[in-house]
Amino acid sequence: MSDDMNELDTPTFRLAVAQFDQAAERMNLDPNLRQRLKIPERSLIVSVPVRMDNGTVKVFMGYRVQHDSSRGPSKGGIRYHPDVNLGEVAALAMWMTWKCALVGLPYGGAKGGVRVAPEQLSRAELQRLTRRYASDILPFIGPDKDVPAPDVGTNPQVMAWIMDTYSQQVGYPVPGVVTGKPLSIGGSLGREEATGRGVVYVTLEAMRHLGLEVEKASVVIQGFGNVGSHTARIMQEYGLRVIAVSDKSGGLYNPKGLDIPELLKRYRADGHRTFRDIKMGDWITNEELLALDCTVLVPAALSEQISHKNADQVRCRILAEGANGPTTLEADQILTEKGIFIIPDILANSGGVIVSYFEWVQDAQRFFWKAKDIQDRLQEIITAAFHRTLQFSMAQRATMRMAALMSGIDKVAQAHLARGLYP
Ligand code: GLU
């Protein structure tokens, strides 16, 4: 990593840059462009003071990084998590750029975050935090500039507060400033489940490609947030047996298959959200979960979960990356040598931003689509991206990850070359 990037130098950013370097090397990318695409266009750091319910003021660190806007307004989620830092946000923003280009959305990439444990805040504190953070980044976002969305630790309600704060400032309602909003203010049908649904569509395509039968397949999912829980439910709707799920405290394993709707009901009813007391299978650790023998493993939690430490133990046929950056560079190589078919994050989890795009288009047109249209168009776009990537990977004798990165980066490079350097 060069000295210009010291501020960003964290494990997650190093992973994103190392992936980029590998792809750029293989593509023989112009060295001038290489440097340009490594460093984000704009990085904003804000301190977010919040009056807590007990009257004290706490200050939280907030970020918004816009990695690239050569192909359109930048797009990407906002994460609330205690480990958020500038380097992580910059890595996630870079992945958004490749993801949007790979699937063909007219967007660049961005990401935001606040270093906070949202579950420790009251609803009122969360609202004050969100509105202040939104005010702090307000000059840099907008439907034609940069469009936030939910990510780890945020949800439609948080998006509603951002939309309201922005609209109050400019003086008229601007639904298109964020996606992943509630339906009542211009959200889209199918947005909440979209990432999970996309994971299922590409997994089914991969199984078909590898000649694997749905009836015999088993699925293991790490993470039971927005991505993991919807992936589990929709996998089961398509006839796949989900044998294990987990959250950060641990998971449940039942080789006969878990009844996901029942599990969801009990998990949500629980209030404190743990699988520990739900007696539907054996209680296992996340380490054990990642080592289960299965057809499909879906990491749908945080980054760098599969590393050189545990990659050897992974025993799936397909790795469908619901999370962003779940596999380190070393692990990627180990899994590839083991013959595991990897559907890389920027492809596997692109369903979320694809339906965000639908939401933004619907907001701009003030014309809303039916759920069926959303599902069909999502399936069409993500399936086409899967097959383009597969063809390219076979033609280039490259892994699916390398093929996906190369296609995404190539589209961004073409946009840079067409637009040129200003002045
Ligand atoms: N946070 C999601 C992602 O990482 C969605 C981003 C969006 O919809 O803009 O892809």
Side-chain angles (χ1 to χ4, degrees), residues 90-147:
L92 292 161
M94 186 188 287
W95 285 323
M96 285 309 302
T97 304
W98 314 144
K99 190 186 303 186
C100 292
L102 170 68
V103 296
L105 308 178
Y107 290 137
K111 202 81 169 199
V114 178
R115 192 180 309 139
V116 59
E119 66 281 2
Q120 288 169 15
L121 300 190
S122 70
R123 184 183 158 93
E125 289 166 342
L126 196 65
Q127 174 165 185
R128 289 195 290 274
L129 170 88
T130 299
R131 288 185 181 278
R132 179 57 191 251
Y133 168 70
S135 307
D136 289 332
I137 65 167
L138 200 118
F140 301 97
I141 62 172
D144 298 317
K145 281 190 201 173
D146 179 14
V147 187

Side-chain angles (χ1 to χ4, degrees), residues 357-370:
Y357 167 60
F358 298 163
E359 180 173 333
W360 181 76
V361 167
Q362 293 171 81
D363 288 339
Q365 297 185 330
R366 271 96 171 126
F367 178 73
F368 290 86
W369 311 350
K370 297 193 289 285

Side-chain angles (χ1 to χ4, degrees), residues 75-77 96 99 111 147 149-151 179 191 324 349 352-353 356:
K75 186 85 193 78
M96 285 309 302
K99 190 186 303 186
K111 202 81 169 199
V147 187
D151 195 78
T179 59
R191 174 61 187 87
N324 289 309
N349 71 32
V353 73
S356 275

